[in-house]
Amino acid sequence: MVDVWLAVRPGAGDPELVVDAVRRHAPHARLAAVWGGDPHRRPLAPTGARWADLGLEEPHGLGWERLLVASGGARTALAKAWRALATVGVRGPTVVLSVGDVVVDGDVTSLVPSHGLAIARRQPLPPIDDGRAPTAADIARLGSVGVGAVAISGGDEGAALAATLADALTLAAPDATPGAAIAPAVGGASVLPGAAFVGDPPSPAPVVIDTSVLDRSEPWHVYGDLPARHPLSADGPLASAEAREHDQWAGADECPCLPGGLAVDDAIVALVRTAVGRWRREGATLPPEPWSDATAFRRWLEAPANRWGPDLGRYWVQWHTLRPDLRVVFPAPEGRDFRQFRAWAEARWWADGESSLLRTGAGTMRPPWLDVGRAPGVNLVGYLGYDKSIGDVARRVGASLDAASVPHAALDYHRSGSPRTLDPPPTTDELRYDTNLCIINADQIPNLVADHGAAMLPGRRTIGYWFWELEQVPESFRGAIETVDEIWAGSDFVADAFRAVTDRPVRTVPIPLPEPHVPPITRADLGLPDDRFVFLVTFDYLSVAERKNPIGVIEAFRRAVPAVSDDGPLLVVKSLNAHLRPHQAERTALAAAGRDDIWLVDRHATRDEQLALTGVADALVSLHRSEGLGLHLMEAMWLGTPTIATRYSGNMSFCTDENCALVDAGRTLVVGGDGYLPPGAVWADPDLDQAADAMRRMLTDAAWRGSLVEAGRATMASQPSLAA
């Protein structure tokens, strides 16, 4: 009989589902579990298992609670599991599973070696750095072995190995990951049979999948910021197994809280890690146990740091060390800045929030703008030289000013990661007029002020022409709102969002889109077949991919067209900047995997090429979660391409049931906002079944498509002129 031990920590995975998976494949396995979280919040043991670490002593004197704070729940739970095995003895063949780092998809009893220990090993690195993950730094940080599943033979040999692993996990450097901590201790271990390591080359159907390199909130995200060398989208069976059993390891590790509710934050972790490191190296005194002696531990946090005098505890000194903005704002906290820093510390809980205390500097300002006058007219400020939608809005506002004979100076703002446009308008560095019209979204206004505010703002009326994609305007926009005298918005949706948070004038100022003129670029020129129906979705990964929702379009297409055929419809997913968001691009690739009729195309297209692509497509699909306006939908209407769009947000300024196939949507909380759209706000959750119905009707109902095209062009033709 095989023993299966579960190392459990709060938030990371569902131990009940892991137990269910073990039982399905090995009904006679004996189950035990250990708890690696806050000792005051130990839950009931998983069904059919027992807690094996109750009363378990940490023999080196470090203490399980200090290990939890310094090293995290994963390492603490595994250290406890191996220590418990070494203490009670290894009765027979044993498998240790780290819940949150493993998916069970087969009979784990088949993993046990005939003797010794077996463990998952990461694929060796290529001899030359190829710019993909894992890198040598990744392996150094994570370790060359996995922690999701380890199998060990029984008897005295197994008990000795268990003690070795427990010591390695307990006594390693405080910030070492579990894999890095145990790698030196398992040098001669055999490779775990039937195990797959996410991030290694495609594998046959595994018994267990070590997912410890996956982001549990983004299960397609392997390793760090670089694209993975072997992404999940390249391994269909492994991706299917992970998706099928994803709930076994979903969820993020929970931050433990000390008695009284004090979260174990970065400063507390850093302080305990430093103390544990000195204990390991020098035998220094350890801090009190955080839970068992909570009052003494809190006093230790509040005790004064030696060099800073009696009034400021080591906790606050640690925050000053961790945060660069505090070091800049309070460079001498032990001297002339002491009172100000102490005032910040006292007010931090209600005043500081999550934002930096510093504005963005002007170090990249190029060139400086010159204040040369305040004649009646407009200083038009925007991304006039960049190929991005808000840059196109700025260029069209410039054309409107020309058409209306309004004097203006065009100033090109340079802070953009987008490519330069091939045909920029003439610009100047001179601020000549009495009104600033800034077509730069609210989140970037602090940068604009830091770069050019001294020359631009005094003595002028400043208007912010802003787009925003949510019903709620975040608190972080308050400074931008206070900077301007008036707000313009391209749709009622955006205007209403700002009206809810300010008394400043807010006006809806829609910018008409003239009929675009597209050169004769054919489908063949764009690499598309002439004889297949083409659905198109187009977006920029830098514009928050989750908001644009290509995954929803892919899923709706799969439902509308369940089977691939040589003459069936195509879905073309045209994107930009995938290399800057490799993990989001991997998610899109994973969603499209196995479908030859879903084409992923990521490259910079010229303005003419992009318009031509929209024009030759048979239907444009936008299952957005939110849009400030929806220029691509307006362009499709001009170009005679029928549209499918979410019935929500800025596009409802011009989309109707007569000119667009509108898809109903519920509401859901924002996730995947790229740090730009605040979590907890609300956006749309389009009905994918309804979208699939619209796609099917597009394929079969030519008369309906024609009516949408006719109504769409009529809507665009009814816009006011640029001059108006």
Side-chain angles (χ1 to χ4, degrees), residues 35 48 72 77 157 168 264 293 303 357 400 411 448 521 581 617 636:
W35 175 244
E157 180 187 28
V264 177
D293 201 356
L357 299 182
S400 298
L411 294 104
L448 175 65
I521 298 175
R581 296 289 187 271

Side-chain angles (χ1 to χ4, degrees), residues 395-406 408 723:
R395 289 186 287 273
R396 288 193 289 116
V397 170
S400 298
L401 293 167
D402 282 334
S405 300
V406 176
H408 69 281

Side-chain angles (χ1 to χ4, degrees), residues 156-173:
D156 293 341
E157 180 187 28
L161 287 169
T164 298
L165 290 179
D167 289 346
L169 287 160
T170 304
L171 300 176

Side-chain angles (χ1 to χ4, degrees), residues 244-265:
R244 185 172 58 252
E245 302 291 350
H246 171 67
D247 288 346
Q248 288 186 34
W249 65 280
D253 284 48
E254 294 178 5
C255 174
C257 287
L258 301 175
L262 178 62
V264 177
D265 59 22

Side-chain angles (χ1 to χ4, degrees), residues 601-691:
V601 181
D602 184 84
R603 68 175 181 85
H604 175 248
T606 66
R607 176 75 177 147
D608 286 346
E609 288 173 333
Q610 188 65 42
L611 287 171
L613 179 60
T614 302
V616 302
D618 294 292
L620 178 74
V621 187
S622 178
L623 299 184
H624 55 266
R625 297 189 180 279
S626 194
E627 283 283 6
L629 182 59
L631 281 172
H632 60 312
L633 292 164
M634 298 176 75
E635 290 169 347
M637 289 181 180
W638 265 127
L639 295 170
T641 302
T643 57
I644 300 172
T646 308
R647 190 191 298 273
Y648 179 72
S649 64
N651 62 296
M652 295 309 295
S653 292
F654 59 90
C655 286
T656 68
D657 286 305
E658 287 68 42
N659 64 23
C660 180
L662 288 170
V663 175
D664 293 336
R667 301 293 182 269
T668 187
L669 295 181
V670 169
V671 293
D674 281 5
Y676 171 62
L677 302 177
V682 174
W683 59 12
D685 186 18
D687 185 329
L688 300 186
D689 285 329
Q690 195 178 113

